[in-house]
Protein backbone atom coordinates (compact mmCIF):
# COMPACT_ATOMS: atom_id res chain seq x y z
CA UNK A 1 0.00 0.00 0.00
CA UNK A 2 1.49 3.33 -1.09
CA UNK A 3 0.26 6.41 0.73
CA UNK A 4 1.12 9.98 -0.23
CA UNK A 5 0.68 12.91 2.15
CA UNK A 6 0.64 15.94 -0.13
CA UNK A 7 0.46 18.67 2.52
CA UNK A 8 2.31 17.60 5.64
CA UNK A 9 2.59 21.19 6.79
CA UNK A 10 -1.18 21.66 6.84
CA UNK A 11 -1.29 19.94 10.22
CA UNK A 12 1.96 21.45 11.48
CA UNK A 13 5.42 20.00 11.91
CA UNK A 14 4.88 19.77 15.67
CA UNK A 15 2.16 17.14 15.24
CA UNK A 16 3.21 13.62 14.32
CA UNK A 17 1.79 11.82 11.30
CA UNK A 18 3.70 8.61 12.04
CA UNK A 19 0.48 6.70 12.72
CA UNK A 20 -0.30 6.73 8.99
CA UNK A 21 2.61 4.33 8.54
CA UNK A 22 0.42 1.64 10.13
CA UNK A 23 -1.02 1.04 6.68
CA UNK A 24 1.99 0.94 4.39
CA UNK A 25 4.75 2.94 2.75
CA UNK A 26 4.23 6.67 3.28
CA UNK A 27 5.74 9.43 1.14
CA UNK A 28 5.50 12.86 2.70
CA UNK A 29 5.62 16.27 1.01
CA UNK A 30 5.70 19.43 3.07
CA UNK A 31 3.38 21.23 0.67
CA UNK A 32 1.88 20.60 -2.77
CA UNK A 33 0.25 23.47 -4.61
CA UNK A 34 0.22 23.17 -8.39
CA UNK A 35 -1.62 20.68 -10.55
CA UNK A 36 1.67 19.51 -12.07
CA UNK A 37 3.05 18.75 -8.60
CA UNK A 38 -0.06 16.81 -7.64
CA UNK A 39 -0.09 14.81 -10.87
CA UNK A 40 3.52 13.72 -10.46
CA UNK A 41 3.29 12.91 -6.76
CA UNK A 42 0.10 10.80 -6.80
CA UNK A 43 0.73 8.73 -9.94
CA UNK A 44 1.75 5.57 -8.02
CA UNK A 45 -0.36 6.14 -4.89
CA UNK A 46 -3.12 3.92 -3.50
CA UNK A 47 -4.19 6.48 -0.89
CA UNK A 48 -3.81 10.26 -1.07
CA UNK A 49 -3.98 12.54 1.97
CA UNK A 50 -4.48 16.23 1.21
CA UNK A 51 -6.04 19.50 2.37
CA UNK A 52 -6.09 22.12 -0.39
CA UNK A 53 -4.25 20.38 -3.24
CA UNK A 54 -6.43 20.14 -6.37
CA UNK A 55 -7.70 16.58 -6.81
CA UNK A 56 -9.69 16.32 -10.02
CA UNK A 57 -9.50 14.62 -13.41
CA UNK A 58 -6.56 16.74 -14.51
CA UNK A 59 -4.44 15.61 -11.56
CA UNK A 60 -5.78 12.09 -11.02
CA UNK A 61 -6.20 10.72 -14.56
CA UNK A 62 -2.66 9.30 -14.58
CA UNK A 63 -3.00 7.77 -11.11
CA UNK A 64 -4.86 4.51 -11.79
CA UNK A 65 -4.20 2.97 -8.37
CA UNK A 66 -5.82 5.66 -6.21
CA UNK A 67 -8.67 4.14 -4.21
CA UNK A 68 -9.07 6.60 -1.34
CA UNK A 69 -8.57 10.32 -0.73
CA UNK A 70 -8.44 11.46 2.87
CA UNK A 71 -8.80 15.13 3.73
CA UNK A 72 -6.86 16.60 6.61
CA UNK A 73 -9.90 18.88 6.95
CA UNK A 74 -13.68 19.02 7.14
CA UNK A 75 -13.95 20.85 3.81
CA UNK A 76 -13.45 18.97 0.56
CA UNK A 77 -14.01 21.55 -2.16
CA UNK A 78 -10.52 20.80 -3.50
CA UNK A 79 -11.90 17.43 -4.71
CA UNK A 80 -14.03 16.83 -7.77
CA UNK A 81 -16.47 14.43 -6.12
CA UNK A 82 -18.26 13.58 -9.34
CA UNK A 83 -15.03 12.55 -11.03
CA UNK A 84 -13.86 10.61 -7.98
CA UNK A 85 -17.16 8.74 -7.83
CA UNK A 86 -16.90 7.90 -11.53
CA UNK A 87 -13.52 6.33 -10.77
CA UNK A 88 -14.72 4.51 -7.67
CA UNK A 89 -12.45 6.67 -5.48
CA UNK A 90 -13.83 7.27 -1.99
CA UNK A 91 -13.30 10.70 -0.44
CA UNK A 92 -13.36 11.12 3.32
CA UNK A 93 -13.11 14.12 5.61
CA UNK A 94 -12.64 14.66 9.33
CA UNK A 95 -15.51 15.98 11.39
CA UNK A 96 -16.02 17.69 14.72
CA UNK A 97 -12.31 17.66 15.53
CA UNK A 98 -11.92 21.41 16.12
CA UNK A 99 -15.31 22.43 17.51
CA UNK A 100 -13.96 23.40 20.92
CA UNK A 101 -11.10 25.44 19.48
CA UNK A 102 -13.19 27.35 16.94
CA UNK A 103 -15.73 28.22 19.61
CA UNK A 104 -12.91 29.32 21.94
CA UNK A 105 -11.39 31.52 19.25
CA UNK A 106 -14.75 33.08 18.50
CA UNK A 107 -14.86 34.40 22.04
CA UNK A 108 -11.21 35.43 22.01
CA UNK A 109 -12.05 37.75 19.14
CA UNK A 110 -15.31 38.92 20.68
CA UNK A 111 -13.81 39.77 24.05
CA UNK A 112 -10.72 41.46 22.65
CA UNK A 113 -12.85 43.72 20.47
CA UNK A 114 -15.66 44.39 22.91
CA UNK A 115 -13.30 45.27 25.76
CA UNK A 116 -10.91 47.24 23.53
CA UNK A 117 -8.00 45.14 24.74
CA UNK A 118 -5.60 46.29 21.98
CA UNK A 119 -6.12 49.90 23.12
CA UNK A 120 -5.62 49.22 26.81
CA UNK A 121 -2.62 46.95 26.30
CA UNK A 122 -0.97 49.65 24.17
CA UNK A 123 -1.89 52.29 26.76
CA UNK A 124 -0.04 50.44 29.51
CA UNK A 125 2.99 49.46 27.45
CA UNK A 126 3.41 52.97 26.04
CA UNK A 127 4.12 54.32 29.50
CA UNK A 128 0.97 56.44 29.63
CA UNK A 129 -0.48 54.37 32.46
CA UNK A 130 2.65 54.75 34.55
CA UNK A 131 2.56 58.51 34.01
CA UNK A 132 -1.06 59.08 35.01
CA UNK A 133 -2.16 60.15 38.47
CA UNK A 134 -4.96 57.65 39.06
CA UNK A 135 -5.10 53.88 39.52
CA UNK A 136 -7.40 53.09 36.59
CA UNK A 137 -8.16 54.12 33.02
CA UNK A 138 -11.29 53.47 30.96
CA UNK A 139 -11.22 56.28 28.44
CA UNK A 140 -12.86 54.14 25.75
CA UNK A 141 -16.14 52.71 27.12
CA UNK A 142 -16.74 48.97 27.04
CA UNK A 143 -19.71 46.85 28.01
CA UNK A 144 -20.69 43.48 29.43
CA UNK A 145 -21.78 40.52 27.32
CA UNK A 146 -24.56 39.81 29.83
CA UNK A 147 -27.87 41.03 28.49
CA UNK A 148 -26.66 41.32 24.89
CA UNK A 149 -28.08 39.43 21.92
CA UNK A 150 -25.76 36.94 20.26
CA UNK A 151 -26.76 36.03 16.71
CA UNK A 152 -25.51 32.96 14.89
CA UNK A 153 -25.52 31.86 11.27
CA UNK A 154 -24.90 28.11 11.11
CA UNK A 155 -26.30 26.10 14.01
CA UNK A 156 -24.17 23.00 13.53
CA UNK A 157 -21.75 21.59 16.10
CA UNK A 158 -19.70 24.77 16.31
CA UNK A 159 -22.71 27.07 16.30
CA UNK A 160 -24.30 25.11 19.13
CA UNK A 161 -21.09 25.20 21.17
CA UNK A 162 -20.86 28.98 20.68
CA UNK A 163 -24.51 29.35 21.66
CA UNK A 164 -23.92 27.50 24.95
CA UNK A 165 -20.92 29.66 25.81
CA UNK A 166 -22.84 32.82 24.91
CA UNK A 167 -25.63 31.70 27.25
CA UNK A 168 -23.09 31.20 30.00
CA UNK A 169 -22.03 34.83 29.57
CA UNK A 170 -25.68 35.82 29.95
CA UNK A 171 -26.48 36.48 26.30
CA UNK A 172 -29.80 35.98 24.58
CA UNK A 173 -29.12 33.68 21.59
CA UNK A 174 -30.89 33.85 18.24
CA UNK A 175 -30.00 32.19 14.97
CA UNK A 176 -30.74 32.16 11.27
CA UNK A 177 -30.91 29.01 9.15
CA UNK A 178 -29.66 29.69 5.64
CA UNK A 179 -31.42 26.64 4.24
CA UNK A 180 -34.47 26.94 6.48
CA UNK A 181 -34.04 23.28 7.42
CA UNK A 182 -32.48 23.57 10.87
CA UNK A 183 -33.87 21.15 13.44
CA UNK A 184 -32.48 23.13 16.37
CA UNK A 185 -35.21 23.97 18.90
CA UNK A 186 -32.97 25.08 21.76
CA UNK A 187 -32.69 28.66 20.53
CA UNK A 188 -34.95 31.14 18.80
CA UNK A 189 -34.79 30.90 15.01
CA UNK A 190 -35.39 34.24 13.26
CA UNK A 191 -35.38 35.58 9.72
CA UNK A 192 -32.26 37.19 8.31
CA UNK A 193 -33.37 40.80 8.72
CA UNK A 194 -34.28 40.19 12.36
CA UNK A 195 -30.91 38.57 12.98
CA UNK A 196 -29.11 41.59 11.53
CA UNK A 197 -31.22 44.14 13.36
CA UNK A 198 -31.10 42.55 16.81
CA UNK A 199 -27.61 41.04 17.10
CA UNK A 200 -25.03 42.80 19.26
CA UNK A 201 -22.60 40.05 18.29
CA UNK A 202 -23.05 38.18 15.02
CA UNK A 203 -20.91 35.07 14.57
CA UNK A 204 -20.70 33.06 11.36
CA UNK A 205 -20.29 29.27 11.48
CA UNK A 206 -21.76 28.19 8.15
CA UNK A 207 -20.18 26.42 5.17
CA UNK A 208 -19.53 28.31 1.96
CA UNK A 209 -22.20 27.64 -0.65
CA UNK A 210 -24.20 29.48 -3.27
CA UNK A 211 -26.56 30.45 -0.44
CA UNK A 212 -23.86 31.86 1.83
CA UNK A 213 -21.40 33.48 -0.58
CA UNK A 214 -21.39 37.22 0.25
CA UNK A 215 -24.23 36.64 2.69
CA UNK A 216 -22.85 39.56 4.68
CA UNK A 217 -22.76 42.21 1.97
CA UNK A 218 -23.16 45.99 1.98
CA UNK A 219 -26.93 45.76 2.33
CA UNK A 220 -26.68 43.36 5.28
CA UNK A 221 -24.06 45.48 7.06
CA UNK A 222 -26.29 48.56 6.79
CA UNK A 223 -29.05 46.67 8.63
CA UNK A 224 -26.81 45.87 11.61
CA UNK A 225 -26.49 47.94 14.77
CA UNK A 226 -23.76 50.55 14.73
CA UNK A 227 -22.56 48.97 17.99
CA UNK A 228 -22.53 45.44 16.57
CA UNK A 229 -19.45 43.22 16.35
CA UNK A 230 -19.17 40.79 13.42
CA UNK A 231 -17.19 37.56 13.84
CA UNK A 232 -16.29 35.33 10.90
CA UNK A 233 -14.67 32.00 11.71
CA UNK A 234 -16.44 30.21 8.84
CA UNK A 235 -15.24 30.91 5.30
CA UNK A 236 -13.82 34.15 3.99
CA UNK A 237 -16.25 34.58 1.10
CA UNK A 238 -19.29 34.50 3.37
CA UNK A 239 -18.42 38.18 3.95
CA UNK A 240 -17.91 40.74 1.19
CA UNK A 241 -14.53 42.04 2.33
CA UNK A 242 -14.73 45.32 0.43
CA UNK A 243 -18.17 46.03 1.86
CA UNK A 244 -16.93 45.21 5.36
CA UNK A 245 -14.03 47.63 4.96
CA UNK A 246 -16.42 50.42 4.01
CA UNK A 247 -18.75 49.57 6.88
CA UNK A 248 -15.88 49.73 9.40
CA UNK A 249 -14.48 52.97 7.98
CA UNK A 250 -17.93 54.57 7.88
CA UNK A 251 -18.84 53.35 11.36
CA UNK A 252 -21.79 51.27 10.20
CA UNK A 253 -20.75 48.58 12.69
CA UNK A 254 -18.43 48.82 15.69
CA UNK A 255 -15.88 46.15 14.88
CA UNK A 256 -15.09 42.85 13.19
CA UNK A 257 -13.02 39.82 14.14
CA UNK A 258 -11.97 37.60 11.26
CA UNK A 259 -10.10 34.33 11.11
CA UNK A 260 -10.80 33.99 7.39
CA UNK A 261 -10.69 36.35 4.41
CA UNK A 262 -11.72 36.12 0.76
CA UNK A 263 -8.35 34.91 -0.55
CA UNK A 264 -5.76 33.40 1.76
CA UNK A 265 -3.21 34.41 2.72
CA UNK A 266 -4.52 37.99 2.95
CA UNK A 267 -3.79 39.84 -0.28
CA UNK A 268 -2.43 43.37 -0.27
CA UNK A 269 -5.21 44.24 -2.71
CA UNK A 270 -7.81 43.34 -0.08
CA UNK A 271 -8.90 46.69 1.43
CA UNK A 272 -9.03 45.11 4.88
CA UNK A 273 -5.23 44.90 4.77
CA UNK A 274 -5.18 48.71 4.99
CA UNK A 275 -7.17 48.94 8.20
CA UNK A 276 -4.59 48.80 10.99
CA UNK A 277 -6.82 49.80 13.91
CA UNK A 278 -7.02 46.65 16.03
CA UNK A 279 -9.81 48.12 18.10
CA UNK A 280 -12.02 47.96 15.02
CA UNK A 281 -10.56 44.98 13.17
CA UNK A 282 -8.63 41.91 14.26
CA UNK A 283 -7.59 39.38 11.63
CA UNK A 284 -5.95 36.09 12.55
CA UNK A 285 -4.33 33.83 9.92
CA UNK A 286 -6.94 31.05 9.65
CA UNK A 287 -5.85 29.47 12.91
CA UNK A 288 -9.14 29.07 14.82
CA UNK A 289 -9.12 25.34 14.10
CA UNK A 290 -5.46 24.76 14.79
CA UNK A 291 -4.82 24.03 18.45
CA UNK A 292 -2.29 21.24 19.02
CA UNK A 293 -5.12 19.06 20.30
CA UNK A 294 -7.31 19.70 17.27
CA UNK A 295 -4.53 19.05 14.77
CA UNK A 296 -3.64 15.83 16.57
CA UNK A 297 -7.28 14.74 16.40
CA UNK A 298 -7.34 15.64 12.69
CA UNK A 299 -4.47 13.27 11.91
CA UNK A 300 -5.94 10.49 14.02
CA UNK A 301 -9.34 10.85 12.36
CA UNK A 302 -7.69 10.46 8.96
CA UNK A 303 -5.95 7.35 10.32
CA UNK A 304 -9.30 5.94 11.43
CA UNK A 305 -10.86 6.72 8.04
CA UNK A 306 -8.13 4.68 6.35
CA UNK A 307 -8.54 1.83 8.83
CA UNK A 308 -12.30 1.72 8.20
CA UNK A 309 -11.78 1.78 4.41
CA UNK A 310 -9.40 -1.16 4.58
CA UNK A 311 -11.95 -3.09 6.64
CA UNK A 312 -14.51 -2.45 3.92
CA UNK A 313 -16.45 0.05 6.03
CA UNK A 314 -17.54 3.57 5.13
CA UNK A 315 -16.50 6.22 7.63
CA UNK A 316 -16.87 9.94 6.93
CA UNK A 317 -17.29 9.27 3.20
CA UNK A 318 -18.55 12.40 1.43
CA UNK A 319 -19.21 11.05 -2.07
CA UNK A 320 -21.58 8.32 -3.30
Amino acid sequence: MKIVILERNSVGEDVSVDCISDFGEVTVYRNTVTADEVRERVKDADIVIANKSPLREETLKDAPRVKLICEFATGYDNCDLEYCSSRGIKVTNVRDYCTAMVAQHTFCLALALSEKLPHYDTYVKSGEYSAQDRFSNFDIPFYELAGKTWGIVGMGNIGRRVAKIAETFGCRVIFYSVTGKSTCRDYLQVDFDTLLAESDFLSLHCPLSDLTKNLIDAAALKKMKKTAILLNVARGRVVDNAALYEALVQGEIQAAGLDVVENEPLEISNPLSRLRDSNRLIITPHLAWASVEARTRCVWEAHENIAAFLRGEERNVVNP
Side-chain angles (χ1 to χ4, degrees), residues 48-223:
V48 177
I49 300 176
N51 185 300
K52 304 292 185 187
S53 298
L55 295 167
R56 49 184 184 261
E57 183 174 5
E58 176 191 5
T59 56
L60 294 172
K61 64 182 180 180
D62 297 323
R65 295 172 48 179
V66 174
K67 306 175 187 70
L68 176 67
I69 293 171
C70 293
E71 295 281 6
F72 269 163
T74 301
Y76 44 85
D77 53 349
N78 61 313
C79 285
D80 182 338
L81 297 187
E82 184 176 353
Y83 175 73
C84 289
S85 295
S86 74
R87 282 269 310 272
I89 300 170
K90 295 296 184 181
V91 179
T92 65
N93 68 348
V94 292
R95 304 173 187 177
D96 201 24
Y97 70 100
C98 60
T99 298
M101 186 61 229
V102 176
Q104 176 179 310
H105 193 68
T106 301
F107 284 90
C108 283
L109 293 171
L111 293 169
L113 290 164
S114 63
E115 293 193 27
K116 308 302 180 193
L117 294 187
H119 167 76
Y120 288 110
D121 180 59
T122 299
Y123 182 82
V124 171
K125 291 175 179 174
S126 71
E128 290 184 74
Y129 179 50
S130 299
Q132 71 178 39
D133 58 1
R134 63 190 190 283
F135 77 94
S136 183
N137 180 60
F138 38 86
D139 58 338
I140 298 181
F142 53 93
Y143 302 90
E144 299 173 358
L145 268 66
K148 302 300 186 297
T149 295
W150 191 290
I152 294 174
V153 178
M155 195 57 87
N157 290 331
I158 295 172
R160 289 171 188 260
R161 180 71 68 96
V162 168
K164 287 182 180 180
I165 298 171
E167 277 191 315
T168 301
F169 273 108
C171 294
R172 166 184 176 249
V173 176
I174 60 176
F175 78 98
Y176 167 68
S177 172
V178 176
T179 64
K181 298 178 181 179
S182 176
T183 59
C184 178
R185 301 292 180 266
D186 297 326
Y187 305 100
L188 178 64
Q189 184 174 169
V190 298
D191 60 49
F192 190 46
D193 282 351
T194 300
L195 182 88
L196 296 171
E198 296 188 6
S199 295
D200 297 296
F201 296 86
L202 177 55
S203 60
L204 309 177
H205 309 288
C206 52
L208 180 63
S209 69
D210 290 340
L211 292 174
T212 60
K213 185 177 180 181
N214 289 332
L215 179 70
I216 307 300
D217 58 9
L221 289 160
K222 290 180 188 300
K223 294 176 182 179

Side-chain angles (χ1 to χ4, degrees), residues 32-43:
T32 302
V33 178
T34 69
D36 287 342
E37 288 176 330
V38 175
R39 187 185 304 107
E40 178 62 26
R41 293 173 180 181
V42 304
K43 63 183 182 182

Side-chain angles (χ1 to χ4, degrees), residues 14-30:
D14 57 328
V15 168
S16 174
V17 296
D18 290 349
C19 62
I20 304 299
S21 298
D22 291 348
F23 307 112
E25 175 188 341
V26 180
T27 302
V28 176
Y29 298 97
R30 186 175 182 273

